[in-house]
Amino acid sequence: MNLIKSEFRKLVYPRSFYGYLAGAVFIALISSIPAAFSVNSLKSRLDGTSLMDPQLVAGIYGKAISGYLFVMILGIAIIGNEYQNGQAISTFLATPKRIKVLYAKLVIAAGAGVFLMVVSTLLGFIGAYFGLHHYPHAKTSPTVFLNLMIAAIVSGAVIAVMGVSIGALIRNMKIAQAGSIIWLSIVEKLIVVFWASGGKYLPSGLILGMMNININLKSTQKLFSISTSDYFQPAVCIVLLLVYAAIFAAVGSWVSLRRDID
Amino acid sequence: MAIIEFKGLTKAYKDVIAVKDLTASIEAGRITGFLGPNGAGKSTALRCLLSLATPTSGSALIRGAGYAELENPMKEVGAVIESGGFNQSLSGLKNLKIIAASAGIPDHRALEVLELVDLMDARNKRVKQYSLGMKQRLSLATALLGEPEILILDEPANGLDPIGIAWLREFLKKLARNGHSILISSHQLAEMQNTVDDVLIIHKGRLITQGTMSDVVGTGTLEEAFIRLVEATS
């Protein structure tokens, strides 16, 4: 518990944590609210699909989960700051059994990731709700909210753990964060959109799969939608994401235990 | 009684041997100077002693055990390795509270050690606003958090002005009078001559000599003895 308390303080004392939270909320809001307006205005081009379609409405609510990018950045910072500031020395002097430190970091990162995702997804969902409330016909199933929150919780914990592990592997925090942003926001998105059979195995594809939203649009319109018809079932997605977390945590631990502290 | 022992310690980084077969012991209740030119291997040996680096061979022990095996390391050993080991955007007090929490040390101890090192007035200032001397004192405060009997200090006087050095000298002497065992690495020889009881000199990763200050120095100064010994082994 001592280490958890110490790691919790490392998380909440610096202002940057609140910056990551604000970033996650911001990206959730700018993903969900404009989607509500733009999809409705595009309905004439959506091959007959409109906000009458509950799945399309669900897709708009699904945009609220976009904050996981900041969870990854936070996860990397949780361990990257140790090396960047030279804090690793005082940390490992206080607790030379490094595996304990890493476990505490993983626990705190997972908790912080869940917190960021629940708050940002909830606010993104509310934003989408207000964006859609002008359209009385925009109805969807109540399970969308439930699926979305489950996806937020699981993805928050898993992405944060992956972030910590990436931070342990790549000592230069800025390179690790920039690389992760490019991977998650560009490379994975492109793979998920244009190569679903491969994309469904990636974290972004698994997060989409957890939302269990099925929309069938023409390929030219896919950029406006979230469709999980090609993806795994939510339970499979959760298991695979947890496998990702376990693999990343194991690799991160292995590297941290063997590294000399400069 | 030896409180710290290096037993055939060797540490190599790829092709570079930083410490070579170092065998030496540090006695309890004394201030021991760990001396050597820049790059002699002092910091590497201390990092191995504190489990921050893994020895290639041999061992470095505190009370017969590796640092990582100590029950509660911060309460047995206080260490200053460098002055940069803090989150610069946080205050000195918050940095100390983070470290204290990890060892189960109550928060009020952070205030006590800040008082000890004369940083009480600056406790809520961000560390990035501290001078180098203040950072060194904050490092000392960290080392004292757990009220340890043993102190291991790596170049604690680096970058200090004369007033800071005088403060550090008196501070260490006070700690030694209170029964602390102190191992202090430095290349500031004149200062060490005024501070330490015993001397351990290494050069190019190897032990050159070890003994009391009077044994090593003889009738001259520490600097003269140091240069003579280093040149003899170059």
Side-chain angles (χ1 to χ4, degrees), chain A residues 1-13 78 82 87-109 257, chain B residues 68 71-74 97-105:
Chain A
M1 279 312 290
N2 290 338
L3 269 175
I4 296 286
K5 185 177 173 186
S6 175
E7 291 301 326
F8 180 73
R9 286 178 171 181
K10 278 185 199 169
L11 177 75
V12 298
Y13 278 174
I78 282 174
E82 292 277 347
Q87 267 183 295
I89 289 174
S90 52
T91 298
F92 293 129
L93 283 176
T95 314
K97 291 191 171 66
R98 296 184 198 176
I99 194 72
K100 287 186 180 178
V101 175
L102 205 73
Y103 285 159
K105 283 192 181 300
L106 291 172
V107 168
I108 287 296
L257 291 178
Chain B
E71 188 67 29
N72 194 337
M74 278 194 82
K97 279 183 171 181
I98 287 171
I99 297 164
S102 65
I105 296 165

Side-chain angles (χ1 to χ4, degrees), chain B residues 62-73:
Chain B
I62 298 167
R63 289 199 175 110
Y67 183 81
E69 276 73 52
L70 296 176
E71 188 67 29
N72 194 337

Side-chain angles (χ1 to χ4, degrees), chain A residues 27-39:
Chain A
I27 204 165
L29 289 175
I30 62 159
S31 299
S32 59
I33 298 174
F37 291 102
S38 63
V39 172

Side-chain angles (χ1 to χ4, degrees), chain B residues 20 32 41 51 54 60 62 71 76 90 107 116 118 127 131 137 141 146 155 162 165 178 182 186 195 200 213 223 227:
Chain B
K20 173 83 174 163
T32 303
S51 296
T54 309
I62 298 167
E71 188 67 29
E76 293 188 57
L90 296 181
D107 286 350
L116 273 175
D118 291 342
V127 172
S131 67
R137 279 188 276 156
E155 305 275 6
I165 289 174
N178 291 337
I182 303 171
S186 182
T195 309
L200 192 159
M213 179 65 80
E223 187 174 282
I227 291 170

Side-chain angles (χ1 to χ4, degrees), chain A:
Chain A
M1 279 312 290
N2 290 338
L3 269 175
I4 296 286
K5 185 177 173 186
S6 175
E7 291 301 326
F8 180 73
R9 286 178 171 181
K10 278 185 199 169
L11 177 75
V12 298
Y13 278 174
R15 290 179 193 163
S16 55
F17 172 67
Y18 306 97
Y20 295 131
L21 177 61
V25 169
F26 177 72
I27 204 165
L29 289 175
I30 62 159
S31 299
S32 59
I33 298 174
F37 291 102
S38 63
V39 172
N40 191 57
S41 67
L42 289 165
K43 64 183 177 186
S44 60
R45 289 162 52 191
L46 290 174
D47 196 26
T49 312
S50 74
L51 289 175
M52 295 291 281
D53 181 350
Q55 289 295 324
L56 191 58
V57 175
I60 293 166
Y61 282 121
K63 296 282 188 187
I65 206 162
S66 309
Y68 62 81
L69 191 65
F70 280 89
V71 175
M72 174 67 85
I73 296 170
L74 171 69
I76 292 169
I78 282 174
I79 197 152
N81 277 331
E82 292 277 347
Y83 296 110
Q84 186 119 322
N85 297 326
Q87 267 183 295
I89 289 174
S90 52
T91 298
F92 293 129
L93 283 176
T95 314
K97 291 191 171 66
R98 296 184 198 176
I99 194 72
K100 287 186 180 178
V101 175
L102 205 73
Y103 285 159
K105 283 192 181 300
L106 291 172
V107 168
I108 287 296
V114 170
F115 177 71
L116 250 69
M117 283 305 290
V118 167
V119 171
S120 64
T121 304
L122 202 56
L123 291 176
F125 189 92
I126 292 168
Y129 176 81
F130 281 109
L132 290 169
H133 90 287
H134 298 292
Y135 315 112
H137 50 285
K139 299 268 191 290
T140 191
S141 161
T143 59
V144 167
F145 178 75
L146 186 64
N147 289 339
L148 200 58
M149 292 318 289
I150 291 171
I153 290 168
V154 175
S155 63
V158 170
I159 298 288
V161 165
M162 288 171 66
V164 170
S165 304
I166 291 168
L169 289 169
I170 304 169
R171 277 182 125 169
N172 187 316
M173 189 169 79
K174 288 191 172 72
I175 288 176
Q177 288 180 329
S180 299
I181 290 169
I182 291 168
W183 176 262
L184 279 180
S185 60
I186 300 174
V187 180
E188 267 203 24
K189 284 235 162 72
L190 290 174
I191 296 171
V192 166
V193 169
F194 293 110
W195 186 44
S197 58
K200 66 183 176 184
Y201 292 98
L202 297 173
S204 298
L206 294 170
I207 292 168
L208 284 183
M210 274 193 293
M211 290 192 283
N212 201 23
I213 299 166
N214 294 299
I215 307 168
N216 288 307
L217 296 175
K218 290 178 179 175
S219 60
T220 52
Q221 292 148 350
K222 276 194 173 179
L223 287 173
F224 300 106
S225 74
I226 293 174
S227 175
T228 62
S229 53
D230 298 324
Y231 293 91
F232 293 116
Q233 288 299 304
V236 177
C237 292
I238 290 172
V239 170
L240 286 177
L241 274 171
L242 292 176
V243 169
Y244 261 108
I247 292 170
F248 270 80
V251 173
S253 306
W254 189 82
V255 171
S256 292
L257 291 178
R258 277 151 188 81
R259 178 176 282 165
D260 288 340
I261 308 300
D262 301 324

Side-chain angles (χ1 to χ4, degrees), chain B residues 29-137:
Chain B
R30 297 177 70 81
I31 305 180
T32 303
F34 190 22
L35 311 178
N38 284 332
K42 305 185 295 292
S43 294
T44 302
L46 293 184
R47 281 168 194 272
C48 290
L49 180 63
L50 295 166
S51 296
L52 294 171
T54 309
T56 306
S57 64
S59 59
L61 307 172
I62 298 167
R63 289 199 175 110
Y67 183 81
E69 276 73 52
L70 296 176
E71 188 67 29
N72 194 337
M74 278 194 82
K75 292 184 177 172
E76 293 188 57
V77 182
V80 172
I81 287 296
E82 60 181 38
S83 60
F86 299 104
N87 186 327
Q88 303 289 313
S89 65
L90 296 181
S91 68
L93 180 59
K94 281 186 172 172
N95 270 290
L96 287 184
K97 279 183 171 181
I98 287 171
I99 297 164
S102 65
I105 296 165
D107 286 350
H108 66 78
R109 179 65 186 157
L111 290 169
E112 289 171 10
V113 292
L114 282 169
E115 184 79 58
L116 273 175
V117 300
D118 291 342
L119 278 180
M120 201 58 175
D121 292 343
R123 65 187 182 279
N124 292 320
K125 260 189 177 179
R126 291 183 185 196
V127 172
K128 69 175 149 197
Q129 294 173 307
Y130 281 20
S131 67
L132 188 54
M134 290 165 83
K135 287 179 185 171
Q136 294 282 35
R137 279 188 276 156

